[in-house]
């Protein structure tokens, strides 16, 4: 394969791995800091307190807490879930960069699997949002511009993964070793010539 084409394909892999590492850190920190890390246990407890307050001992403070306005379908972007997925994405990004650098095709698989898992979580989120009759523009697979962006990113990522896999399989990086090849310098060995002449005389 041409050297420039090889560089271009691997450059795409480095870009994907670099953005994965960067976004896994930044987005995880933002999501974790802006959301409750103990969801949903804290809000289940709050719901029990509200039910108890409404029937046994009415408490205006507990009844005023916005439990019903909780975005309970947005678990993909909640604190603990986002932190766990962020750690997984960071590990997948490091593995991806290692695989691109050393041209190991198996190291590309964790990234692809985690991406599919994340898409599945977003799809489940959209289904729950449709079930709760939420606004369509807050969804991923129902909002047309967002859907087109997701399709483009998905096609780009998997086409790059396929290209990297084919590159590593059909045109692997040349490995350096200790194998030496002896070349003839055109100078005859006089001892070998003498032995050949003696063998020819004996044969005659």
């Amino acid at each position: 394969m041409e050297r420039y084409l090889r560089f271009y394909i691997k450059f795409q892999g480095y870009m994907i791995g670099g953005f994965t590492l960067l976004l896994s850190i930044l987005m995880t920190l933002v999501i974790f800091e802006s959301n409750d890390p103990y969801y949903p246990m804290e809000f289940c407890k709050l719901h029990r307190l509200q039910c108890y307050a409404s029937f046994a001992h009415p408490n205006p403070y507990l009844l005023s807490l916005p439990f019903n306005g909780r975005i309970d379908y947005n678990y993909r972007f909640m604190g603990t879930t986002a932190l766990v997925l962020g750690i997984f994405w960071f590990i997948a990004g490091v593995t991806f960069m290692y695989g691109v650098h050393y041209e190991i095709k198996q190291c590309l698989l964790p990234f692809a699997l985690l991406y599919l898992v994340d898409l599945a979580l977003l799809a489940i989120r959209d289904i729950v949002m449709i079930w709760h009759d939420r606004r369509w523009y807050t969804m991923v697979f129902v909002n047309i511009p967002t859907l087109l962006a997701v399709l483009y990113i998905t096609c780009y990522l998997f086409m790059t993964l396929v290209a990297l896999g084919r590159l590593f399989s059909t045109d692997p990086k040349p490995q350096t070793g200790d194998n030496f090849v002896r070349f003839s310098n055109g100078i005859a060995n006089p001892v070998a010539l003498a032995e050949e002449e003696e063998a020819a005389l004996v044969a005659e």
Side-chain angles (χ1 to χ4, degrees):
M1 182 177 291
E2 292 291 337
R3 182 165 58 93
Y4 297 105
L5 182 58
R6 184 187 188 90
F7 170 78
Y8 176 77
I9 296 175
K10 292 191 67 174
F11 177 77
Q12 301 298 318
Y14 283 122
M15 290 293 293
I16 293 174
F19 274 107
T20 300
L21 293 176
L22 180 63
L23 294 178
S24 66
I25 296 174
L26 295 180
M27 292 188 65
T28 302
L29 290 177
V30 171
I31 295 173
F32 186 76
E33 291 295 330
S34 60
N35 290 279
D36 191 347
Y38 299 105
Y39 174 84
M41 297 302 296
E42 290 295 324
F43 287 89
C44 292
K45 180 180 178 181
L46 175 59
H47 180 60
R48 290 195 299 269
L49 288 175
Q50 286 180 333
C51 293
Y52 177 76
S54 61
F55 291 103
H57 302 283
N59 189 329
Y61 172 72
L62 289 176
L63 294 177
S64 64
L65 293 176
F67 174 77
N68 294 328
R70 180 65 182 178
I71 308 177
D72 54 351
Y73 51 82
N74 212 14
Y75 59 91
R76 166 59 183 89
F77 301 103
M78 302 309 295
T80 305
T81 307
L83 179 62
V84 173
L85 286 176
I87 294 174
F88 285 165
W89 271 116
F90 184 82
I91 296 174
V94 172
T95 307
F96 188 88
M97 293 284 284
Y98 181 85
V100 172
H101 182 71
Y102 290 101
E103 299 190 358
I104 303 174
K105 184 171 64 174
Q106 289 76 12
C107 292
L108 308 179
L109 295 178
F111 179 89
L113 293 177
L114 188 57
Y115 183 80
L116 293 177
V117 169
D118 218 335
L119 281 183
L121 291 177
L122 291 177
I124 295 173
R125 171 182 176 269
D126 283 359
I127 293 173
V128 176
M129 291 176 70
I130 294 173
W131 182 267
H132 287 279
D133 197 18
R134 301 294 177 176
R135 299 183 183 275
W136 63 271
Y137 56 81
T138 59
M139 306 178 193
V140 176
F141 294 99
V142 179
N143 190 356
I144 299 300
T146 308
L147 177 61
L148 293 177
V150 170
L151 289 177
Y152 173 78
I153 294 173
T154 303
C155 293
Y156 168 74
L157 290 178
F158 279 94
M159 289 299 293
T160 305
L161 290 176
V162 171
L164 288 171
R166 292 292 300 273
L167 175 66
F168 300 161
S169 299
T170 60
D171 190 18
K173 182 189 298 185
Q175 302 293 331
T176 59
D178 297 332
N179 298 325
F180 295 95
V181 178
R182 185 181 299 275
F183 296 95
S184 176
N185 54 8
I187 301 176
N189 189 352
V191 177
L193 289 177
E195 292 178 354
E196 291 178 359
E197 291 178 357
E198 291 179 359
L201 292 175
V202 171
E204 292 177 356

